[in-house]
mmCIF file with all atom_site columns, all heavy atoms in Angstrom:
data_model
loop_
_atom_site.group_PDB
_atom_site.id
_atom_site.type_symbol
_atom_site.label_atom_id
_atom_site.label_alt_id
_atom_site.label_comp_id
_atom_site.label_asym_id
_atom_site.label_entity_id
_atom_site.label_seq_id
_atom_site.pdbx_PDB_ins_code
_atom_site.Cartn_x
_atom_site.Cartn_y
_atom_site.Cartn_z
_atom_site.occupancy
_atom_site.B_iso_or_equiv
_atom_site.pdbx_formal_charge
_atom_site.auth_seq_id
_atom_site.auth_comp_id
_atom_site.auth_asym_id
_atom_site.auth_atom_id
_atom_site.pdbx_PDB_model_num
ATOM 1   N N   . ASN T 1 1  ? -18.371 2.664   15.060 1.00 98.00 ? 1  ASN T N   1
ATOM 2   C CA  . ASN T 1 1  ? -19.774 3.079   14.973 1.00 98.00 ? 1  ASN T CA  1
ATOM 3   C C   . ASN T 1 1  ? -20.055 4.318   15.818 1.00 98.00 ? 1  ASN T C   1
ATOM 4   O O   . ASN T 1 1  ? -20.901 5.146   15.463 1.00 98.00 ? 1  ASN T O   1
ATOM 5   C CB  . ASN T 1 1  ? -20.687 1.936   15.426 1.00 98.00 ? 1  ASN T CB  1
ATOM 6   C CG  . ASN T 1 1  ? -20.755 0.797   14.415 1.00 98.00 ? 1  ASN T CG  1
ATOM 7   O OD1 . ASN T 1 1  ? -20.444 0.980   13.236 1.00 98.00 ? 1  ASN T OD1 1
ATOM 8   N ND2 . ASN T 1 1  ? -21.155 -0.382  14.869 1.00 98.00 ? 1  ASN T ND2 1
ATOM 9   N N   . ARG T 1 2  ? -19.326 4.459   16.914 1.00 97.00 ? 2  ARG T N   1
ATOM 10  C CA  . ARG T 1 2  ? -19.562 5.579   17.834 1.00 97.00 ? 2  ARG T CA  1
ATOM 11  C C   . ARG T 1 2  ? -18.963 6.887   17.340 1.00 97.00 ? 2  ARG T C   1
ATOM 12  O O   . ARG T 1 2  ? -19.502 7.970   17.591 1.00 97.00 ? 2  ARG T O   1
ATOM 13  C CB  . ARG T 1 2  ? -18.969 5.240   19.209 1.00 97.00 ? 2  ARG T CB  1
ATOM 14  C CG  . ARG T 1 2  ? -19.247 6.269   20.300 1.00 97.00 ? 2  ARG T CG  1
ATOM 15  C CD  . ARG T 1 2  ? -18.517 5.914   21.584 1.00 97.00 ? 2  ARG T CD  1
ATOM 16  N NE  . ARG T 1 2  ? -17.078 5.986   21.430 1.00 97.00 ? 2  ARG T NE  1
ATOM 17  C CZ  . ARG T 1 2  ? -16.376 7.121   21.499 1.00 97.00 ? 2  ARG T CZ  1
ATOM 18  N NH1 . ARG T 1 2  ? -17.009 8.278   21.692 1.00 97.00 ? 2  ARG T NH1 1
ATOM 19  N NH2 . ARG T 1 2  ? -15.070 7.102   21.353 1.00 97.00 ? 2  ARG T NH2 1
ATOM 20  N N   . THR T 1 3  ? -17.832 6.789   16.624 1.00 96.00 ? 3  THR T N   1
ATOM 21  C CA  . THR T 1 3  ? -17.070 7.998   16.299 1.00 96.00 ? 3  THR T CA  1
ATOM 22  C C   . THR T 1 3  ? -17.427 8.630   14.960 1.00 96.00 ? 3  THR T C   1
ATOM 23  O O   . THR T 1 3  ? -16.781 9.592   14.547 1.00 96.00 ? 3  THR T O   1
ATOM 24  C CB  . THR T 1 3  ? -15.563 7.692   16.335 1.00 96.00 ? 3  THR T CB  1
ATOM 25  O OG1 . THR T 1 3  ? -15.277 6.576   15.482 1.00 96.00 ? 3  THR T OG1 1
ATOM 26  C CG2 . THR T 1 3  ? -15.113 7.364   17.754 1.00 96.00 ? 3  THR T CG2 1
ATOM 27  N N   . GLN T 1 4  ? -18.409 8.091   14.249 1.00 96.00 ? 4  GLN T N   1
ATOM 28  C CA  . GLN T 1 4  ? -18.863 8.738   13.011 1.00 96.00 ? 4  GLN T CA  1
ATOM 29  C C   . GLN T 1 4  ? -20.335 8.403   12.805 1.00 96.00 ? 4  GLN T C   1
ATOM 30  O O   . GLN T 1 4  ? -20.869 7.475   13.433 1.00 96.00 ? 4  GLN T O   1
ATOM 31  C CB  . GLN T 1 4  ? -17.999 8.322   11.799 1.00 96.00 ? 4  GLN T CB  1
ATOM 32  C CG  . GLN T 1 4  ? -17.747 6.842   11.657 1.00 96.00 ? 4  GLN T CG  1
ATOM 33  C CD  . GLN T 1 4  ? -18.931 6.069   11.132 1.00 96.00 ? 4  GLN T CD  1
ATOM 34  O OE1 . GLN T 1 4  ? -19.542 6.470   10.147 1.00 96.00 ? 4  GLN T OE1 1
ATOM 35  N NE2 . GLN T 1 4  ? -19.294 4.963   11.766 1.00 96.00 ? 4  GLN T NE2 1
ATOM 36  N N   . ASN T 1 5  ? -20.986 9.159   11.937 1.00 96.00 ? 5  ASN T N   1
ATOM 37  C CA  . ASN T 1 5  ? -22.440 9.058   11.774 1.00 96.00 ? 5  ASN T CA  1
ATOM 38  C C   . ASN T 1 5  ? -22.888 8.632   10.387 1.00 96.00 ? 5  ASN T C   1
ATOM 39  O O   . ASN T 1 5  ? -24.076 8.730   10.060 1.00 96.00 ? 5  ASN T O   1
ATOM 40  C CB  . ASN T 1 5  ? -23.092 10.412  12.119 1.00 96.00 ? 5  ASN T CB  1
ATOM 41  C CG  . ASN T 1 5  ? -22.854 10.814  13.555 1.00 96.00 ? 5  ASN T CG  1
ATOM 42  O OD1 . ASN T 1 5  ? -23.029 10.005  14.468 1.00 96.00 ? 5  ASN T OD1 1
ATOM 43  N ND2 . ASN T 1 5  ? -22.450 12.065  13.768 1.00 96.00 ? 5  ASN T ND2 1
ATOM 44  N N   . ASP T 1 6  ? -21.953 8.174   9.565  1.00 97.00 ? 6  ASP T N   1
ATOM 45  C CA  . ASP T 1 6  ? -22.299 7.833   8.185  1.00 97.00 ? 6  ASP T CA  1
ATOM 46  C C   . ASP T 1 6  ? -22.459 6.335   7.949  1.00 97.00 ? 6  ASP T C   1
ATOM 47  O O   . ASP T 1 6  ? -23.211 5.914   7.061  1.00 97.00 ? 6  ASP T O   1
ATOM 48  C CB  . ASP T 1 6  ? -21.231 8.375   7.235  1.00 97.00 ? 6  ASP T CB  1
ATOM 49  C CG  . ASP T 1 6  ? -21.095 9.886   7.314  1.00 97.00 ? 6  ASP T CG  1
ATOM 50  O OD1 . ASP T 1 6  ? -22.148 10.554  7.394  1.00 97.00 ? 6  ASP T OD1 1
ATOM 51  O OD2 . ASP T 1 6  ? -19.961 10.382  7.316  1.00 97.00 ? 6  ASP T OD2 1
ATOM 52  N N   . ILE T 1 7  ? -21.706 5.503   8.696  1.00 98.00 ? 7  ILE T N   1
ATOM 53  C CA  . ILE T 1 7  ? -21.650 4.064   8.435  1.00 98.00 ? 7  ILE T CA  1
ATOM 54  C C   . ILE T 1 7  ? -21.920 3.314   9.729  1.00 98.00 ? 7  ILE T C   1
ATOM 55  O O   . ILE T 1 7  ? -21.453 3.714   10.807 1.00 98.00 ? 7  ILE T O   1
ATOM 56  C CB  . ILE T 1 7  ? -20.258 3.664   7.884  1.00 98.00 ? 7  ILE T CB  1
ATOM 57  C CG1 . ILE T 1 7  ? -19.927 4.470   6.614  1.00 98.00 ? 7  ILE T CG1 1
ATOM 58  C CG2 . ILE T 1 7  ? -20.196 2.165   7.593  1.00 98.00 ? 7  ILE T CG2 1
ATOM 59  C CD1 . ILE T 1 7  ? -18.473 4.402   6.226  1.00 98.00 ? 7  ILE T CD1 1
ATOM 60  N N   . PHE T 1 8  ? -22.646 2.214   9.617  1.00 98.00 ? 8  PHE T N   1
ATOM 61  C CA  . PHE T 1 8  ? -22.885 1.343   10.776 1.00 98.00 ? 8  PHE T CA  1
ATOM 62  C C   . PHE T 1 8  ? -22.433 -0.064  10.415 1.00 98.00 ? 8  PHE T C   1
ATOM 63  O O   . PHE T 1 8  ? -22.931 -0.656  9.450  1.00 98.00 ? 8  PHE T O   1
ATOM 64  C CB  . PHE T 1 8  ? -24.360 1.343   11.166 1.00 98.00 ? 8  PHE T CB  1
ATOM 65  C CG  . PHE T 1 8  ? -24.636 0.588   12.423 1.00 98.00 ? 8  PHE T CG  1
ATOM 66  C CD1 . PHE T 1 8  ? -24.553 1.207   13.657 1.00 98.00 ? 8  PHE T CD1 1
ATOM 67  C CD2 . PHE T 1 8  ? -25.003 -0.760  12.377 1.00 98.00 ? 8  PHE T CD2 1
ATOM 68  C CE1 . PHE T 1 8  ? -24.814 0.511   14.828 1.00 98.00 ? 8  PHE T CE1 1
ATOM 69  C CE2 . PHE T 1 8  ? -25.270 -1.466  13.535 1.00 98.00 ? 8  PHE T CE2 1
ATOM 70  C CZ  . PHE T 1 8  ? -25.171 -0.826  14.765 1.00 98.00 ? 8  PHE T CZ  1
ATOM 71  N N   . VAL T 1 9  ? -21.482 -0.594  11.176 1.00 98.00 ? 9  VAL T N   1
ATOM 72  C CA  . VAL T 1 9  ? -20.947 -1.928  10.926 1.00 98.00 ? 9  VAL T CA  1
ATOM 73  C C   . VAL T 1 9  ? -21.668 -2.938  11.809 1.00 98.00 ? 9  VAL T C   1
ATOM 74  O O   . VAL T 1 9  ? -21.754 -2.766  13.032 1.00 98.00 ? 9  VAL T O   1
ATOM 75  C CB  . VAL T 1 9  ? -19.435 -1.985  11.209 1.00 98.00 ? 9  VAL T CB  1
ATOM 76  C CG1 . VAL T 1 9  ? -18.905 -3.410  11.026 1.00 98.00 ? 9  VAL T CG1 1
ATOM 77  C CG2 . VAL T 1 9  ? -18.682 -1.020  10.302 1.00 98.00 ? 9  VAL T CG2 1
ATOM 78  N N   . ASP T 1 10 ? -22.181 -3.990  11.188 1.00 98.00 ? 10 ASP T N   1
ATOM 79  C CA  . ASP T 1 10 ? -22.823 -5.082  11.920 1.00 98.00 ? 10 ASP T CA  1
ATOM 80  C C   . ASP T 1 10 ? -21.886 -6.282  11.873 1.00 98.00 ? 10 ASP T C   1
ATOM 81  O O   . ASP T 1 10 ? -21.631 -6.842  10.803 1.00 98.00 ? 10 ASP T O   1
ATOM 82  C CB  . ASP T 1 10 ? -24.168 -5.432  11.284 1.00 98.00 ? 10 ASP T CB  1
ATOM 83  C CG  . ASP T 1 10 ? -24.848 -6.588  11.998 1.00 98.00 ? 10 ASP T CG  1
ATOM 84  O OD1 . ASP T 1 10 ? -24.706 -6.678  13.226 1.00 98.00 ? 10 ASP T OD1 1
ATOM 85  O OD2 . ASP T 1 10 ? -25.516 -7.371  11.318 1.00 98.00 ? 10 ASP T OD2 1
ATOM 86  N N   . LEU T 1 11 ? -21.372 -6.675  13.030 1.00 98.00 ? 11 LEU T N   1
ATOM 87  C CA  . LEU T 1 11 ? -20.410 -7.773  13.126 1.00 98.00 ? 11 LEU T CA  1
ATOM 88  C C   . LEU T 1 11 ? -21.132 -9.088  13.381 1.00 98.00 ? 11 LEU T C   1
ATOM 89  O O   . LEU T 1 11 ? -21.914 -9.210  14.327 1.00 98.00 ? 11 LEU T O   1
ATOM 90  C CB  . LEU T 1 11 ? -19.428 -7.487  14.267 1.00 98.00 ? 11 LEU T CB  1
ATOM 91  C CG  . LEU T 1 11 ? -18.442 -8.590  14.644 1.00 98.00 ? 11 LEU T CG  1
ATOM 92  C CD1 . LEU T 1 11 ? -17.548 -8.953  13.461 1.00 98.00 ? 11 LEU T CD1 1
ATOM 93  C CD2 . LEU T 1 11 ? -17.603 -8.157  15.842 1.00 98.00 ? 11 LEU T CD2 1
ATOM 94  N N   . LEU T 1 12 ? -20.854 -10.083 12.531 1.00 98.00 ? 12 LEU T N   1
ATOM 95  C CA  . LEU T 1 12 ? -21.446 -11.406 12.673 1.00 98.00 ? 12 LEU T CA  1
ATOM 96  C C   . LEU T 1 12 ? -20.333 -12.444 12.749 1.00 98.00 ? 12 LEU T C   1
ATOM 97  O O   . LEU T 1 12 ? -19.442 -12.479 11.898 1.00 98.00 ? 12 LEU T O   1
ATOM 98  C CB  . LEU T 1 12 ? -22.349 -11.724 11.482 1.00 98.00 ? 12 LEU T CB  1
ATOM 99  C CG  . LEU T 1 12 ? -22.970 -13.132 11.445 1.00 98.00 ? 12 LEU T CG  1
ATOM 100 C CD1 . LEU T 1 12 ? -23.958 -13.307 12.606 1.00 98.00 ? 12 LEU T CD1 1
ATOM 101 C CD2 . LEU T 1 12 ? -23.668 -13.376 10.110 1.00 98.00 ? 12 LEU T CD2 1
ATOM 102 N N   . THR T 1 13 ? -20.359 -13.284 13.781 1.00 97.00 ? 13 THR T N   1
ATOM 103 C CA  . THR T 1 13 ? -19.379 -14.361 13.910 1.00 97.00 ? 13 THR T CA  1
ATOM 104 C C   . THR T 1 13 ? -19.777 -15.517 13.004 1.00 97.00 ? 13 THR T C   1
ATOM 105 O O   . THR T 1 13 ? -20.904 -16.003 13.056 1.00 97.00 ? 13 THR T O   1
ATOM 106 C CB  . THR T 1 13 ? -19.293 -14.855 15.359 1.00 97.00 ? 13 THR T CB  1
ATOM 107 O OG1 . THR T 1 13 ? -18.923 -13.760 16.206 1.00 97.00 ? 13 THR T OG1 1
ATOM 108 C CG2 . THR T 1 13 ? -18.274 -15.966 15.499 1.00 97.00 ? 13 THR T CG2 1
ATOM 109 N N   . VAL T 1 14 ? -18.819 -15.964 12.173 1.00 97.00 ? 14 VAL T N   1
ATOM 110 C CA  . VAL T 1 14 ? -19.077 -17.019 11.187 1.00 97.00 ? 14 VAL T CA  1
ATOM 111 C C   . VAL T 1 14 ? -17.977 -18.065 11.286 1.00 97.00 ? 14 VAL T C   1
ATOM 112 O O   . VAL T 1 14 ? -16.793 -17.744 11.133 1.00 97.00 ? 14 VAL T O   1
ATOM 113 C CB  . VAL T 1 14 ? -19.125 -16.443 9.760  1.00 97.00 ? 14 VAL T CB  1
ATOM 114 C CG1 . VAL T 1 14 ? -19.305 -17.556 8.730  1.00 97.00 ? 14 VAL T CG1 1
ATOM 115 C CG2 . VAL T 1 14 ? -20.248 -15.417 9.632  1.00 97.00 ? 14 VAL T CG2 1
ATOM 116 N N   . SER T 1 15 ? -18.334 -19.300 11.552 1.00 96.00 ? 15 SER T N   1
ATOM 117 C CA  . SER T 1 15 ? -17.347 -20.381 11.574 1.00 96.00 ? 15 SER T CA  1
ATOM 118 C C   . SER T 1 15 ? -17.000 -20.791 10.147 1.00 96.00 ? 15 SER T C   1
ATOM 119 O O   . SER T 1 15 ? -17.751 -20.516 9.207  1.00 96.00 ? 15 SER T O   1
ATOM 120 C CB  . SER T 1 15 ? -17.906 -21.575 12.352 1.00 96.00 ? 15 SER T CB  1
ATOM 121 O OG  . SER T 1 15 ? -19.058 -22.088 11.712 1.00 96.00 ? 15 SER T OG  1
ATOM 122 N N   . ASP T 1 16 ? -15.836 -21.477 9.995  1.00 97.00 ? 16 ASP T N   1
ATOM 123 C CA  . ASP T 1 16 ? -15.406 -21.946 8.666  1.00 97.00 ? 16 ASP T CA  1
ATOM 124 C C   . ASP T 1 16 ? -15.492 -20.806 7.654  1.00 97.00 ? 16 ASP T C   1
ATOM 125 O O   . ASP T 1 16 ? -15.973 -20.974 6.526  1.00 97.00 ? 16 ASP T O   1
ATOM 126 C CB  . ASP T 1 16 ? -16.276 -23.128 8.229  1.00 97.00 ? 16 ASP T CB  1
ATOM 127 C CG  . ASP T 1 16 ? -15.727 -23.847 6.998  1.00 97.00 ? 16 ASP T CG  1
ATOM 128 O OD1 . ASP T 1 16 ? -14.498 -23.790 6.778  1.00 97.00 ? 16 ASP T OD1 1
ATOM 129 O OD2 . ASP T 1 16 ? -16.528 -24.453 6.265  1.00 97.00 ? 16 ASP T OD2 1
ATOM 130 N N   . ILE T 1 17 ? -14.987 -19.666 8.060  1.00 97.00 ? 17 ILE T N   1
ATOM 131 C CA  . ILE T 1 17 ? -15.244 -18.443 7.288  1.00 97.00 ? 17 ILE T CA  1
ATOM 132 C C   . ILE T 1 17 ? -14.632 -18.472 5.901  1.00 97.00 ? 17 ILE T C   1
ATOM 133 O O   . ILE T 1 17 ? -15.198 -17.913 4.953  1.00 97.00 ? 17 ILE T O   1
ATOM 134 C CB  . ILE T 1 17 ? -14.765 -17.211 8.077  1.00 97.00 ? 17 ILE T CB  1
ATOM 135 C CG1 . ILE T 1 17 ? -15.365 -15.944 7.467  1.00 97.00 ? 17 ILE T CG1 1
ATOM 136 C CG2 . ILE T 1 17 ? -13.242 -17.159 8.148  1.00 97.00 ? 17 ILE T CG2 1
ATOM 137 C CD1 . ILE T 1 17 ? -15.217 -14.714 8.337  1.00 97.00 ? 17 ILE T CD1 1
ATOM 138 N N   . GLN T 1 18 ? -13.474 -19.127 5.741  1.00 94.00 ? 18 GLN T N   1
ATOM 139 C CA  . GLN T 1 18 ? -12.836 -19.109 4.426  1.00 94.00 ? 18 GLN T CA  1
ATOM 140 C C   . GLN T 1 18 ? -13.679 -19.817 3.379  1.00 94.00 ? 18 GLN T C   1
ATOM 141 O O   . GLN T 1 18 ? -13.689 -19.426 2.208  1.00 94.00 ? 18 GLN T O   1
ATOM 142 C CB  . GLN T 1 18 ? -11.423 -19.715 4.496  1.00 94.00 ? 18 GLN T CB  1
ATOM 143 C CG  . GLN T 1 18 ? -11.356 -21.185 4.863  1.00 94.00 ? 18 GLN T CG  1
ATOM 144 C CD  . GLN T 1 18 ? -11.275 -21.414 6.348  1.00 94.00 ? 18 GLN T CD  1
ATOM 145 O OE1 . GLN T 1 18 ? -11.845 -20.684 7.146  1.00 94.00 ? 18 GLN T OE1 1
ATOM 146 N NE2 . GLN T 1 18 ? -10.533 -22.452 6.735  1.00 94.00 ? 18 GLN T NE2 1
ATOM 147 N N   . ASN T 1 19 ? -14.411 -20.858 3.777  1.00 96.00 ? 19 ASN T N   1
ATOM 148 C CA  . ASN T 1 19 ? -15.262 -21.572 2.821  1.00 96.00 ? 19 ASN T CA  1
ATOM 149 C C   . ASN T 1 19 ? -16.622 -20.899 2.657  1.00 96.00 ? 19 ASN T C   1
ATOM 150 O O   . ASN T 1 19 ? -17.132 -20.784 1.540  1.00 96.00 ? 19 ASN T O   1
ATOM 151 C CB  . ASN T 1 19 ? -15.435 -23.023 3.270  1.00 96.00 ? 19 ASN T CB  1
ATOM 152 C CG  . ASN T 1 19 ? -14.148 -23.815 3.167  1.00 96.00 ? 19 ASN T CG  1
ATOM 153 O OD1 . ASN T 1 19 ? -13.389 -23.654 2.211  1.00 96.00 ? 19 ASN T OD1 1
ATOM 154 N ND2 . ASN T 1 19 ? -13.881 -24.659 4.146  1.00 96.00 ? 19 ASN T ND2 1
ATOM 155 N N   . LYS T 1 20 ? -17.208 -20.447 3.758  1.00 98.00 ? 20 LYS T N   1
ATOM 156 C CA  . LYS T 1 20 ? -18.531 -19.827 3.664  1.00 98.00 ? 20 LYS T CA  1
ATOM 157 C C   . LYS T 1 20 ? -18.486 -18.496 2.929  1.00 98.00 ? 20 LYS T C   1
ATOM 158 O O   . LYS T 1 20 ? -19.428 -18.140 2.207  1.00 98.00 ? 20 LYS T O   1
ATOM 159 C CB  . LYS T 1 20 ? -19.119 -19.663 5.057  1.00 98.00 ? 20 LYS T CB  1
ATOM 160 C CG  . LYS T 1 20 ? -19.540 -20.983 5.674  1.00 98.00 ? 20 LYS T CG  1
ATOM 161 C CD  . LYS T 1 20 ? -20.083 -20.816 7.080  1.00 98.00 ? 20 LYS T CD  1
ATOM 162 C CE  . LYS T 1 20 ? -20.469 -22.176 7.670  1.00 98.00 ? 20 LYS T CE  1
ATOM 163 N NZ  . LYS T 1 20 ? -20.875 -22.060 9.098  1.00 98.00 ? 20 LYS T NZ  1
ATOM 164 N N   . THR T 1 21 ? -17.394 -17.755 3.086  1.00 98.00 ? 21 THR T N   1
ATOM 165 C CA  . THR T 1 21 ? -17.281 -16.502 2.347  1.00 98.00 ? 21 THR T CA  1
ATOM 166 C C   . THR T 1 21 ? -17.164 -16.766 0.847  1.00 98.00 ? 21 THR T C   1
ATOM 167 O O   . THR T 1 21 ? -17.798 -16.078 0.031  1.00 98.00 ? 21 THR T O   1
ATOM 168 C CB  . THR T 1 21 ? -16.077 -15.683 2.839  1.00 98.00 ? 21 THR T CB  1
ATOM 169 O OG1 . THR T 1 21 ? -16.219 -15.417 4.238  1.00 98.00 ? 21 THR T OG1 1
ATOM 170 C CG2 . THR T 1 21 ? -15.968 -14.366 2.092  1.00 98.00 ? 21 THR T CG2 1
ATOM 171 N N   . MET T 1 22 ? -16.389 -17.788 0.479  1.00 97.00 ? 22 MET T N   1
ATOM 172 C CA  . MET T 1 22 ? -16.267 -18.124 -0.933 1.00 97.00 ? 22 MET T CA  1
ATOM 173 C C   . MET T 1 22 ? -17.615 -18.558 -1.508 1.00 97.00 ? 22 MET T C   1
ATOM 174 O O   . MET T 1 22 ? -17.996 -18.164 -2.620 1.00 97.00 ? 22 MET T O   1
ATOM 175 C CB  . MET T 1 22 ? -15.230 -19.239 -1.121 1.00 97.00 ? 22 MET T CB  1
ATOM 176 C CG  . MET T 1 22 ? -14.972 -19.610 -2.573 1.00 97.00 ? 22 MET T CG  1
ATOM 177 S SD  . MET T 1 22 ? -14.117 -18.306 -3.506 1.00 97.00 ? 22 MET T SD  1
ATOM 178 C CE  . MET T 1 22 ? -12.403 -18.685 -3.093 1.00 97.00 ? 22 MET T CE  1
ATOM 179 N N   . LEU T 1 23 ? -18.358 -19.340 -0.755 1.00 97.00 ? 23 LEU T N   1
ATOM 180 C CA  . LEU T 1 23 ? -19.682 -19.761 -1.210 1.00 97.00 ? 23 LEU T CA  1
ATOM 181 C C   . LEU T 1 23 ? -20.609 -18.554 -1.362 1.00 97.00 ? 23 LEU T C   1
ATOM 182 O O   . LEU T 1 23 ? -21.387 -18.470 -2.318 1.00 97.00 ? 23 LEU T O   1
ATOM 183 C CB  . LEU T 1 23 ? -20.279 -20.759 -0.222 1.00 97.00 ? 23 LEU T CB  1
ATOM 184 C CG  . LEU T 1 23 ? -19.679 -22.175 -0.229 1.00 97.00 ? 23 LEU T CG  1
ATOM 185 C CD1 . LEU T 1 23 ? -20.173 -22.962 0.976  1.00 97.00 ? 23 LEU T CD1 1
ATOM 186 C CD2 . LEU T 1 23 ? -20.020 -22.901 -1.519 1.00 97.00 ? 23 LEU T CD2 1
ATOM 187 N N   . ALA T 1 24 ? -20.531 -17.630 -0.411 1.00 98.00 ? 24 ALA T N   1
ATOM 188 C CA  . ALA T 1 24 ? -21.389 -16.447 -0.475 1.00 98.00 ? 24 ALA T CA  1
ATOM 189 C C   . ALA T 1 24 ? -21.061 -15.586 -1.689 1.00 98.00 ? 24 ALA T C   1
ATOM 190 O O   . ALA T 1 24 ? -21.955 -15.037 -2.342 1.00 98.00 ? 24 ALA T O   1
ATOM 191 C CB  . ALA T 1 24 ? -21.235 -15.628 0.808  1.00 98.00 ? 24 ALA T CB  1
ATOM 192 N N   . VAL T 1 25 ? -19.778 -15.468 -2.003 1.00 98.00 ? 25 VAL T N   1
ATOM 193 C CA  . VAL T 1 25 ? -19.381 -14.712 -3.198 1.00 98.00 ? 25 VAL T CA  1
ATOM 194 C C   . VAL T 1 25 ? -19.922 -15.400 -4.443 1.00 98.00 ? 25 VAL T C   1
ATOM 195 O O   . VAL T 1 25 ? -20.472 -14.758 -5.345 1.00 98.00 ? 25 VAL T O   1
ATOM 196 C CB  . VAL T 1 25 ? -17.841 -14.583 -3.270 1.00 98.00 ? 25 VAL T CB  1
ATOM 197 C CG1 . VAL T 1 25 ? -17.417 -13.968 -4.601 1.00 98.00 ? 25 VAL T CG1 1
ATOM 198 C CG2 . VAL T 1 25 ? -17.314 -13.739 -2.112 1.00 98.00 ? 25 VAL T CG2 1
ATOM 199 N N   . SER T 1 26 ? -19.778 -16.720 -4.512 1.00 96.00 ? 26 SER T N   1
ATOM 200 C CA  . SER T 1 26 ? -20.262 -17.471 -5.665 1.00 96.00 ? 26 SER T CA  1
ATOM 201 C C   . SER T 1 26 ? -21.764 -17.324 -5.842 1.00 96.00 ? 26 SER T C   1
ATOM 202 O O   . SER T 1 26 ? -22.268 -17.258 -6.967 1.00 96.00 ? 26 SER T O   1
ATOM 203 C CB  . SER T 1 26 ? -19.899 -18.951 -5.496 1.00 96.00 ? 26 SER T CB  1
ATOM 204 O OG  . SER T 1 26 ? -20.345 -19.708 -6.593 1.00 96.00 ? 26 SER T OG  1
ATOM 205 N N   . ALA T 1 27 ? -22.490 -17.258 -4.709 1.00 97.00 ? 27 ALA T N   1
ATOM 206 C CA  . ALA T 1 27 ? -23.945 -17.154 -4.759 1.00 97.00 ? 27 ALA T CA  1
ATOM 207 C C   . ALA T 1 27 ? -24.423 -15.724 -4.943 1.00 97.00 ? 27 ALA T C   1
ATOM 208 O O   . ALA T 1 27 ? -25.621 -15.480 -5.104 1.00 97.00 ? 27 ALA T O   1
ATOM 209 C CB  . ALA T 1 27 ? -24.544 -17.730 -3.480 1.00 97.00 ? 27 ALA T CB  1
ATOM 210 N N   . GLY T 1 28 ? -23.495 -14.744 -4.904 1.00 97.00 ? 28 GLY T N   1
ATOM 211 C CA  . GLY T 1 28 ? -23.868 -13.354 -5.103 1.00 97.00 ? 28 GLY T CA  1
ATOM 212 C C   . GLY T 1 28 ? -24.437 -12.673 -3.875 1.00 97.00 ? 28 GLY T C   1
ATOM 213 O O   . GLY T 1 28 ? -25.098 -11.637 -3.991 1.00 97.00 ? 28 GLY T O   1
#
């Protein structure tokens, strides 16, 4: 985020990520 001015990454800690990411993809 510091070394460029085009993109800003927001990091969020998510438990059980393999299942929650799949659910999020399914839900759009």
Side-chain angles (χ1 to χ4, degrees):
N1 288 340
R2 185 185 65 82
T3 54
Q4 48 76 48
N5 298 313
D6 300 319
I7 303 165
F8 186 88
V9 176
D10 179 35
L11 173 60
L12 176 66
T13 301
V14 176
S15 63
D16 191 26
I17 195 167
Q18 64 271 34
N19 292 321
K20 288 178 181 174
T21 302
M22 183 69 85
L23 287 169
V25 172
S26 180

